[in-house]
């Protein structure tokens, strides 16, 4: 990966490296995600606090330099199935849609 590498290029390369993209178009099923969290779950498991799909044309190494997670958290990039990420994001939108703004 270089600062010029796009998220789509990195997904494609990773899938090829691990033998998961035998057919053209398979890489479209996956998306690179910017995941912020911390270790500390059961057995030291990673606890996700925020997950955001990275746009295909975004450059993850540039993103990493520009934005830092809050103190106590770490960032990692994960490749996930696009459908799973869309379901998670839709669920978050549904949860926040019913919230009322804070009263002053």
């Amino acid at each position: 990966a270089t600062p010029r590498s796009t998220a789509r290029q990195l997904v494609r390369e990773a899938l090829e490296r691990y033998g998961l993209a035998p057919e053209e178009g398979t890489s479209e099923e996956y998306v690179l995600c910017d995941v912020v969290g911390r270790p500390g779950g059961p057995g030291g498991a990673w606890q996700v606090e925020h997950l955001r799909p990275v746009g295909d044309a975004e450059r993850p190494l540039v993103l990493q330099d520009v934005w830092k997670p809050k103190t106590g958290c770490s960032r990692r990039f994960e490749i996930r199935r696009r459908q799973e990420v869309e379901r998670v994001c839709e669920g978050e939108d549904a949860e926040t849609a019913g919230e009322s703004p804070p009263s002053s």
Side-chain angles (χ1 to χ4, degrees), residues 19-48:
L20 298 174
E23 302 170 11
E24 189 63 34
T26 304
S27 65
E28 300 303 317
E29 294 176 26
Y30 296 89
V31 63
L32 187 68
C33 294
D34 184 5
V35 184
V36 175
R38 65 181 83 217
W46 178 262
Q47 291 180 304
V48 174

Side-chain angles (χ1 to χ4, degrees), residues 6-95:
T6 65
R8 172 63 30 219
Q9 290 169 328
L10 295 176
V11 168
R12 192 174 307 125
E13 289 176 23
L15 293 174
E16 287 172 5
R17 176 173 288 171
Y18 295 103
L20 298 174
E23 302 170 11
E24 189 63 34
T26 304
S27 65
E28 300 303 317
E29 294 176 26
Y30 296 89
V31 63
L32 187 68
C33 294
D34 184 5
V35 184
V36 175
R38 65 181 83 217
W46 178 262
Q47 291 180 304
V48 174
E49 292 194 9
H50 178 73
L51 179 141
R52 181 186 77 86
V54 177
D56 289 343
E58 286 187 77
R59 291 175 164 69
L61 293 183
V62 172
L63 177 67
Q64 189 172 359
D65 285 340
V66 173
W67 185 83
K68 306 288 183 202
K70 68 182 181 180
T71 304
C73 289
S74 299
R75 161 193 275 137
R76 67 186 191 184
F77 291 100
E78 298 177 355
I79 297 174
R80 294 186 176 208
R81 288 193 181 273
R82 193 174 294 272
Q83 280 186 320
E84 289 176 20
V85 173
E86 288 170 356
R87 275 194 302 253
V88 168
C89 291
E90 286 171 7
E92 287 177 358
D93 288 345
E95 286 177 15

